[in-house]
Amino acid sequence: MMSVTTASACCYCGVGCGVLIEHDGQRIQGVSGDPAHPANYGRLCSKGSTLHRTGDQAARALYPELRLGKGLRRNRTDWDTAMGHAAHMFASTIAEHGPDSVAFYISGQLLTEDYYAFNKLARGLIGTNNIDSNSRLCMSSAVVGYKRSLGADAPPCSYEDIELTDCLLIIGSNMAYAHPVLFRRLEQAKQEHPDKRIIVVDPRRTATCDIADIHLALQPGTDVAFLHGVLHLLIEQGRTAEAFIHQHTRDFAELQTLVGDYTPERVARICGIEQEDLHRIARMIGSAPSFLSLWCMGMNQSSAGSAKNSALINLHLATGQIGKPGSGPFSLTGQPNAMGGRETGSLSNLLPGHREAGNAEHRREVAEYWGVDALPEAAGLSAIELFEAVRVGKVKALWIACTNPAQSLPDQNLVRQALAACPFVVVQEAFSTTETCAYADLLLPAASWGEKSGSVTNSERRISRVRAAVAAPGEARADWAIVCDLARRLQHQLRPTQPGLFDFTDPQALFDEFRGLTRGRDLDYSGLSYALLEALGPQQWPFAAGARQGTPRLYAEGVFPTPDGRARFIADQYLPAQEQPGGDFPLLLNTGRLRDQWHGMSRTGTAAQLFGHVDQARISLHPAELSSHQLREGQLVKVTSQRGELVLPVTADEQLQRGHAWIPMHWGDRFLRGGGVNVLTQPAFDPLSRQPELKQATIRIDPVELPWELFMLVEGDVQARFSTLRSLCEPLTFASFSLSGRDRPALLLRAAHSQALSTAWLAAVDAVLGLDQASVLRFEDPGRAISKGLRIEDDRITALRLCGETRAQDWLHQAWLGGESVSAIRRWLLAPLSAPPGGAAGRIETVLCNCMNVSLSRVQAGVDAGMGLETLKTELGCGTQCGSCLPEVRRLLARSGQAA
């Protein structure tokens, strides 16, 4: 078949990159960046550039599945039966317990049209505000910050401001990993304008810090004190914009009094920094012709997230650095359409068009537009409160769409109790492998990236079309269509005399209805349509009726969407985080993103190539911390918080401060037995934004003795084998899964236990690995609980299992990766050797450049040989494609003393 190209948008972070999907109408064959899209101009990161390698259909939900009782198996059913049962269960629950006995938990990865359908269903038809989104875990503190300070949830900047600014503050964001395409733009801008000043504030020295003129490693949770300290110095040095403050703001006097107490001495003590660094930063900001700030989860995921956001915005208002090129407070959205969710009202306290659920006039406006009598007045439940209400039985029917709370929410033990106890759980999901799917009484297969149409809004308020390239597999349906099917069925039962609320036949009808709710609002895009987006390309709101182009920058006239048109200074005191290290929990745990993985890995976890950079979850500690705990690299440790415990290997990381620990956010219970990092994190949340404190928990670590070690590798049928092996590994104390390879993906398992498991257990494992067939080498030593098996086909290793003694795991894995002939060393394959006979010690190479498959050791060898960046690109190919590896390549060059 002839290959064609469909323009769409990436489904990962909030940068909102345009992508060109190459396909034959049936299968997606490749993906490239769209050079015409103004968010990325053709660039893609390592995740976006491998989209065509993800979404293994063996991991997909393909058909509706229903069980009629807890503990029973789900069985395949048809859509009519599934939706009829769902409507009956929701209607009967509402009839018996009221509309607030049901709830919806949705996702920043839905399209705007999907979001709007959910909101109209929950608020306009059912009559509950119990609808919240995983954006609560991501951006709700930024929402509160913008609204309190500026009057509306509207990031005022454009991506071009990254290039235009003279001084850039990046705080609470590892931009190089979390928003790589924007970081590429920043790297290029810094290279072209070396006098551009960049400040990075982060407790860790991340890849982002390497571009900084100053990296401030403040103590976690002390951002408010730091920001107040900067403002204290700006005021003291006379670097505030008095005319702007007088004409366009209010409440500065109260804030000035507050920050008067945040002297350099006090701030340095609270934040664990040097006073001179605080002075340097204040001078950089105060003397810059333009000042831009970028932030993400390090500011938002905090019990003081709203205060942090407002304290940062205070700096822009005090210096007049807002509403002009290169200036303004610019939150980096985490998910691809968290902005669209905020626009449509998909947090429990919001309504469509940036309205408030608690505002009677706003409720009246939306009710009148929808043609319903009224919207619910009772406050809705935010994410943490929602799952607690489920756990205690107040919410009895829960609909979850396109998100994985059994991996992503804090305090996972309580979340799983809630899901297990809920009488009726519906999971609307593209991937049947997520942890949450295990709790579904009804599983509904949803279309995914490349299979659905609609729109999304990125971090700079830019609306892009999402277009389907291929049909969804099996019987999967678009999210909006599933919602409208349920709504029409419920309408017959709940409002039989009021038909027509959900007579939508395509996503365009939903978009057209929703944009009317933005008319006259701060986000007005009533002038947009699918036809206009096709003609003009992606556009930034506001885009009112009659407009010819979008709005790149807000507040240029100094008028803000507040009752009096003035921005507000917010005076919040610094409050320490609820958990402070000491006593039984002496270490402070931080969580965060890896370069090549996304959220709970339901999609990226299907692409073996994306495990080349980091192949398993580890807890990172400063090398001195390992020494003081008498731990060795790779040793298994038990990590304990006040809520749970987790076993995983430890690794040294000199980029951390002493007393700190770091674990990636991505590994949940599917990939890491024990529930993943969120069994440790705390559910404390910000009192205004309700965003949880995912970034700060206190822990202790203890070595664990698990003498019976296991290593397994098998290629082919990855997803089916994954599910079976994961179930078999439930008795083990430690089990970590990942994928390996590129064109021949394999499933990897590293595990350990206190004692050997039974021969029956090994036989079950061998059946999964195909080690019960011919062409298998075996070694058994029951007295020492050692058992090994290795399958060879076409003179290549295709599966192996080492139990009780695993010294050869690395070089055997490497031999598999290389597809090497093993005939010459066949007699040594099951020997207790840490290296092949006659070879160097076998270690698995870290892949630094995923696009070109260039290892860390090859790059390091090139650097040691005196190669500069351009020579490394020419000779090795690293950094010539997506560029996600460039920060690390530059770090290696800097360590060698070479200019990058």
Side-chain angles (χ1 to χ4, degrees):
M1 278 190 175
M2 183 180 296
S3 180
V4 296
T5 299
T6 298
S8 190
C10 181
C11 60
Y12 291 127
C13 77
V15 173
C17 294
V19 297
L20 300 177
I21 306 172
E22 301 161 24
H23 62 96
D24 60 7
Q26 296 181 355
R27 297 189 61 186
I28 293 174
Q29 300 163 326
V31 67
S32 59
D34 184 350
H37 199 291
N40 58 315
Y41 295 112
R43 297 180 180 95
L44 288 178
C45 71
S46 60
K47 296 182 288 292
S49 62
T50 54
L51 269 168
H52 59 294
R53 295 180 177 269
T54 62
D56 187 341
Q57 288 206 12
R60 295 292 299 272
L62 299 175
Y63 311 100
E65 294 179 2
L66 174 65
R67 67 182 176 198
L68 298 176
K70 300 293 184 183
L72 300 179
R73 285 188 58 187
R74 287 195 310 264
N75 293 302
R76 178 176 172 178
T77 188
D78 59 86
W79 272 103
D80 187 59
T81 300
M83 298 307 292
H85 183 75
H88 167 73
M89 292 297 292
F90 267 66
S92 59
T93 301
I94 293 165
E96 184 175 355
H97 302 287
D100 287 336
S101 65
V102 304
F104 297 87
Y105 186 63
I106 56 178
S107 167
Q109 291 165 75
L110 292 171
L111 305 185
T112 298
E113 295 78 2
D114 305 327
Y115 264 132
Y116 181 66
F118 268 114
N119 269 276
K120 191 174 183 182
L121 166 63
R123 304 179 201 270
L125 178 61
I126 293 175
T128 182
N129 283 318
N130 285 345
I131 177 169
D132 211 52
S133 165
N134 61 12
S135 296
R136 181 70 65 181
L137 315 182
C138 171
M139 299 307 300
S140 54
S141 290
V143 172
V144 171
Y146 281 134
K147 287 164 66 175
R148 283 207 301 170
S149 299
L150 306 180
D153 174 24
C157 309
S158 289
Y159 293 158
E160 66 179 8
D161 290 318
I162 293 171
E163 285 103 358
L164 296 174
T165 191
D166 298 288
C167 180
L168 175 61
L169 169 65
I170 304 171
I171 180 167
S173 168
N174 184 10
M175 188 181 173
Y177 280 12
H179 298 90
V181 168
L182 288 187
F183 193 70
R184 299 291 87 72
R185 292 180 68 161
L186 175 58
E187 285 183 310
Q188 184 175 341
K190 177 69 170 176
Q191 188 174 8
E192 294 172 356
H193 303 282
D195 56 343
K196 182 191 298 287
R197 292 292 167 253
I198 301 175
I199 305 157
V200 177
V201 178
D202 197 307
R204 292 195 302 147
R205 184 170 182 85
T206 67
T208 302
C209 300
D210 293 337
I211 201 174
D213 296 283
I214 179 170
H215 166 225
L216 192 69
L218 83 175
Q219 286 298 306
T222 62
D223 309 72
V224 171
F226 159 69
L227 294 165
H228 285 347
V230 173
L231 183 54
H232 174 104
L233 289 174
L234 291 173
I235 295 170
E236 185 177 84
Q237 296 165 6
R239 296 184 184 273
T240 56
E242 294 184 11
F244 181 90
I245 292 170
H246 176 72
Q247 294 171 18
H248 301 295
T249 72
R250 58 178 295 174
D251 304 328
F252 183 67
E254 180 183 353
L255 177 63
Q256 185 171 7
T257 300
L258 174 75
V259 301
D261 294 333
Y262 287 82
T263 62
E265 296 81 7
R266 183 188 177 203
V267 171
R269 185 172 62 253
I270 291 172
C271 299
I273 60 176
E274 298 295 327
Q275 292 184 45
E276 179 51 34
D277 287 337
L278 194 66
H279 281 276
R280 284 179 61 201
I281 290 170
R283 286 194 297 270
M284 284 183 183
I285 293 173
S287 62
S290 58
F291 165 52
L292 182 73
S293 61
L294 301 172
W295 74 94
C296 198
M297 296 306 111
M299 290 276 280
N300 295 336
Q301 289 180 336
S302 167
S303 56
S306 296
K308 292 179 181 181
N309 274 262
S310 291
L312 178 56
I313 296 171
N314 285 341
L315 295 185
H316 289 277
L317 297 177
T319 54
Q321 296 284 13
I322 189 170
K324 61 182 186 178
S327 298
F330 196 0
S331 61
L332 296 176
T333 315
Q335 296 187 88
N337 201 29
M339 286 287 287
R342 290 145 69 177
E343 293 161 16
T344 56
S346 295
L347 292 175
S348 59
N349 55 301
L350 303 180
L351 291 176
H354 284 179
R355 292 174 173 86
E356 295 291 326
N359 183 306
E361 179 60 20
H362 288 179
R363 294 196 303 271
R364 186 198 62 76
E365 290 171 359
V366 177
E368 184 177 279
Y369 187 85
W370 282 344
V372 299
D373 293 337
L375 295 191
E377 296 182 19
L381 297 168
S382 64
I384 302 300
E385 299 162 311
L386 170 57
F387 280 85
E388 177 59 19
V390 172
R391 190 178 73 87
V392 299
K394 292 181 179 179
V395 170
K396 301 178 184 298
L398 176 62
W399 197 291
I400 300 168
C402 197
T403 187
N404 189 16
Q407 186 272 342
S408 59
L409 284 169
D411 202 358
Q412 274 292 302
N413 291 327
L414 291 186
V415 171
R416 294 175 187 208
Q417 287 177 25
L419 288 168
C422 187
F424 187 56
V425 177
V426 181
V427 178
Q428 179 175 321
E429 175 60 67
F431 294 91
S432 63
T433 54
T434 74
E435 288 85 348
T436 303
C437 286
Y439 297 93
D441 299 295
L442 177 61
L443 177 63
L444 300 176
S448 187
W449 173 84
E451 305 157 2
K452 55 197 297 188
S453 296
S455 62
V456 293
T457 308
N458 74 357
S459 295
E460 60 171 353
R461 298 170 282 105
R462 189 178 299 277
I463 298 168
S464 297
R465 281 298 318 280
V466 173
R467 299 174 181 89
V470 297
E475 296 179 6
R477 299 171 66 187
D479 289 288
W480 70 266
I482 298 172
V483 179
C484 291
D485 188 341
L486 173 69
R488 286 189 290 267
R489 294 169 188 266
L490 276 177
Q491 189 167 331
H492 286 303
Q493 302 182 57
L494 301 179
R495 297 175 185 255
T497 62
Q498 193 177 26
L501 288 177
F502 287 87
D503 290 342
F504 302 106
T505 57
D506 56 30
Q508 181 173 345
L510 286 152
F511 182 87
D512 287 343
E513 181 175 297
F514 166 63
R515 64 192 175 100
L517 279 167
T518 70
R519 190 183 306 276
R521 305 289 300 170
D522 67 282
L523 75 165
D524 191 339
Y525 55 85
S526 58
L528 283 179
S529 64
Y530 277 18
L532 191 145
L533 289 170
E534 293 289 347
L536 299 183
Q539 296 296 314
Q540 292 172 278
W541 58 254
F543 198 110
R548 296 186 176 182
Q549 64 180 23
T551 308
R553 209 162 280 106
L554 304 182
Y555 315 134
E557 305 301 321
V559 179
F560 297 87
T562 58
D564 59 4
R566 292 172 175 265
R568 269 64 169 157
F569 285 101
I570 304 298
D572 289 327
Q573 286 282 8
Y574 158 71
L575 297 174
Q578 293 190 23
E579 287 193 10
Q580 295 294 326
D584 291 337
F585 303 98
L587 296 173
L588 196 59
L589 173 66
N590 188 5
T591 66
R593 298 185 186 276
L594 296 172
R595 189 190 75 185
D596 296 343
Q597 296 294 349
W598 175 253
H599 284 199
M601 303 196 295
S602 58
R603 175 175 289 276
T604 54
T606 66
Q609 179 175 333
L610 294 177
F611 288 85
H613 188 238
V614 176
D615 65 350
Q616 65 172 322
R618 300 174 178 87
I619 180 169
S620 300
L621 299 172
H622 188 277
E625 207 69 61
L626 260 70
S627 178
S628 67
H629 282 80
Q630 298 183 321
L631 298 170
R632 64 184 184 278
E633 180 74 24
Q635 183 175 350
L636 291 176
V637 296
K638 181 172 70 173
V639 185
T640 307
S641 77
Q642 297 179 45
R643 290 154 294 280
E645 60 185 42
L646 188 65
V647 174
L648 72 174
V650 67
T651 187
D653 185 355
E654 61 185 13
Q655 311 305 324
L656 289 169
Q657 301 179 52
R658 289 204 64 173
H660 294 186
W662 189 83
I663 300 177
M665 61 174 277
H666 309 288
W667 271 264
D669 191 67
R670 174 168 165 79
F671 286 91
L672 180 64
R673 191 209 169 280
V677 68
N678 284 322
V679 301
L680 306 171
T681 53
Q682 56 169 318
F685 54 74
D686 181 280
L688 299 177
S689 70
R690 298 294 197 265
Q691 184 160 357
E693 181 97 77
L694 284 163
K695 284 286 185 181
Q696 192 163 336
T698 56
I699 59 169
R700 67 170 179 270
I701 56 172
D702 300 288
V704 290
E705 294 300 324
L706 301 173
W708 195 60
E709 297 183 348
L710 302 86
F711 178 81
M712 304 179 197
L713 178 152
V714 59
E715 66 177 55
D717 297 325
V718 167
Q719 297 303 327
R721 285 175 161 139
F722 197 153
S723 296
T724 306
L725 278 176
R726 179 61 190 84
S727 178
L728 285 170
C729 286
E730 197 57 35
L732 298 172
T733 304
F734 166 73
S736 175
F737 287 86
S738 66
L739 305 188
S740 184
R742 293 173 76 86
D743 298 323
R744 293 181 297 107
L747 176 65
L748 244 63
L749 167 65
R750 300 174 177 90
H753 197 53
S754 57
Q755 60 189 20
L757 295 189
S758 67
T759 55
W761 185 86
L762 288 176
V765 167
D766 284 353
V768 178
L769 301 182
L771 295 178
D772 54 353
Q773 305 171 8
S775 302
V776 172
L777 299 181
R778 293 188 175 280
F779 175 82
E780 303 289 342
D781 185 346
R784 293 189 295 162
I786 296 174
S787 174
K788 301 181 183 182
L790 189 148
R791 189 176 81 222
I792 299 174
E793 297 174 287
D794 298 326
D795 203 30
R796 288 179 45 252
I797 297 170
T798 57
L800 68 94
R801 171 183 60 74
L802 308 176
C803 297
E805 189 278 302
T806 63
R807 268 174 274 183
Q809 63 175 283
D810 281 348
W811 72 265
L812 288 175
H813 183 191
Q814 192 65 50
W816 172 83
L817 276 172
E820 299 171 15
S821 168
V822 295
S823 56
I825 56 171
R826 187 182 180 97
R827 59 183 294 201
W828 301 101
L829 292 175
L830 297 181
L833 301 176
S834 59
R843 292 191 63 82
I844 295 302
E845 294 277 12
T846 295
V847 178
L848 192 64
C849 174
N850 238 326
C851 297
M852 302 300 291
N853 198 24
V854 182
S855 68
L856 171 62
S857 64
R858 287 181 65 199
V859 177
Q860 184 64 66
V863 171
D864 292 343
M867 292 184 187
L869 179 59
E870 294 307 315
T871 307
L872 289 169
K873 287 181 176 181
T874 301
E875 295 294 322
L876 304 181
C878 56
T880 59
Q881 300 297 311
C882 79
S884 296
C885 63
L886 286 174
E888 289 172 90
V889 174
R890 289 193 172 100
R891 176 176 289 182
L892 295 176
L893 288 166
R895 286 176 177 172
S896 72
Q898 297 185 57

